Amino acid sequence: MNKLKLGLVFIFILTGIVGFTYLSESAMVIRVLSVLIGLLLAAFVARYTTQGQDFYAFCRESSVETRKVVWPNRKETLQTSGIVFAFVVAMALFLWLIDAALMSIVRLLMDQDV
């Protein structure tokens, strides 16, 4: 029974896509609606498959776990952002210095070869 439902999901998706191409003379809104209706019907049927039920349970558990996360407050966020910004500036200066030094070495070597 599960394979039949998955086959029906595939058929709904395929029907939406075929509808999009078949309705090439129609307005874009109608063409997009055909794809959306196909996807919605496929999602509705997929919800009742074994994989769909597992996915739905996973989504519910993920939502519960998200509520358990301790999110940083404003002060912690600003401090962390400041540290990241300072590190980026320091790395940019470091790489600029290395680039300038290497460019000077290359110019020095090129002048000696000429």
Side-chain angles (χ1 to χ4, degrees):
M1 189 66 173
N2 195 44
K3 288 184 180 182
L4 180 65
K5 290 177 189 175
L6 288 174
L8 194 58
V9 166
F10 179 73
I11 289 172
F12 280 140
I13 292 172
L14 193 61
T15 302
I17 294 170
V18 168
F20 183 83
T21 56
Y22 180 74
L23 298 170
S24 62
E25 300 295 321
S26 300
M28 184 59 76
V29 173
I30 295 173
R31 296 175 71 193
V32 170
L33 277 175
S34 72
V35 173
L36 289 177
I37 289 171
L39 290 175
L40 287 174
L41 288 172
F44 180 76
V45 173
R47 166 69 175 91
Y48 296 102
T49 63
T50 305
Q51 293 86 350
Q53 290 171 350
D54 290 344
F55 180 72
Y56 182 71
F58 172 76
C59 289
R60 275 189 288 122
E61 292 169 9
S62 297
S63 178
V64 169
E65 288 298 320
T66 303
R67 286 188 215 114
K68 293 179 184 177
V69 173
V70 178
W71 298 101
N73 59 28
R74 181 179 173 88
K75 181 181 176 185
E76 293 169 338
T77 303
L78 289 175
Q79 287 175 343
T80 305
S81 298
I83 291 170
V84 169
F85 183 73
F87 180 76
V88 167
V89 169
M91 282 304 296
L93 289 173
F94 173 73
L95 291 173
W96 177 71
L97 288 172
I98 296 296
D99 184 50
L102 290 174
M103 184 61 73
S104 297
I105 292 170
V106 168
R107 284 185 182 154
L108 182 67
L109 292 174
M110 294 299 285
D111 286 341
Q112 288 179 355
D113 286 339
V114 176

